[in-house]
Amino acid sequence: MAKKLPLERILHNQGFGARKFCRILIINEDVTVNGEICDDPSTEFELDNLSYTIKGEPWEYREKSYLMLHKPSNFECSHKTQHHPTIYSLLPHPLVVRDVQCIGRLDEDTTGLILISDDGQFIHRMSSPKHKVPKVYEVTCKHALSDEQIAHILRGVQLVDEDAPIAALACERISDFVIHMTLAEGKYHQVKRMIAAISNRVEGLKRIQIGDVKLPDDLAVGKWRWLSEAELASLNNTEKIKLLLAANIKY
Ligand code: URA
């Protein structure tokens, strides 16, 4: 049988605040469920496909949150930031209350695709070095890239504090100054350090793909959206991730 819960608990679980606060919202007729005002906090609703509004804003019940954000420059991927606003300020407050976390941090000056969730197991799996999800970066360099520099990235570069050279899975030339670089790891400042190791310098860095989830053209900088079921399934599909890794061709 489909799971049911009282409305007050549903709103609390979804991050709208303390039970008492949620009860007041409901009694004040600020909440509609499936199109109708519900002013009784104890009314039970089935959780599957539950749509509701709070003060006119539409929501859907989600057991866990899985979203993507188009990170702008000058935002930090941390809850306690040092110099810039946090990326979490770009999300609706209830999601922050649910303690969503980003999966792998980007530097403050890096833009692009970030995955965010409150599913601890998903976060752990996606961030684990064992689960090598390929990530594609659009890298704009200060100096034009020679073919030898690209070949060097593909052969592997030795980074300080690393035991063995690290190679990009793929490195596609887009223009004299721009490459698309695919990495299996997520080491600290990895792209910047790899580009420095070939005597060049990163001038602009944008993550454009994780696994086979691409940063959508229509997701504006600073905006977020839920992951689709297909996107989530592809990230959870370990066999597909292995195939993606195997399919990466060195140019
Ligand atoms: N590599 C970097 O150097 N910076 C990032 O933000 C991500 C990957």
Side-chain angles (χ1 to χ4, degrees), residues 170-223:
C171 191
E172 182 188 1
R173 179 190 287 287
I174 304 300
S175 71
D176 285 352
F177 293 85
V178 180
I179 49 176
H180 284 177
M181 192 168 156
T182 308
L183 299 180
E185 314 81 3
K187 294 185 186 292
Y188 182 67
H189 290 332
Q190 187 172 341
V191 174
K192 290 175 184 163
R193 288 158 70 212
M194 287 179 75
I195 295 294
I198 56 157
S199 309
N200 209 318
R201 192 188 150 97
V202 172
E203 292 274 282
L205 186 55
K206 180 177 182 179
R207 186 156 65 192
I208 55 174
Q209 191 171 337
I210 299 175
D212 64 0
V213 176
K214 294 194 166 88
L215 180 67
D217 291 338
D218 60 357
L219 187 65
V221 180
K223 295 292 177 196

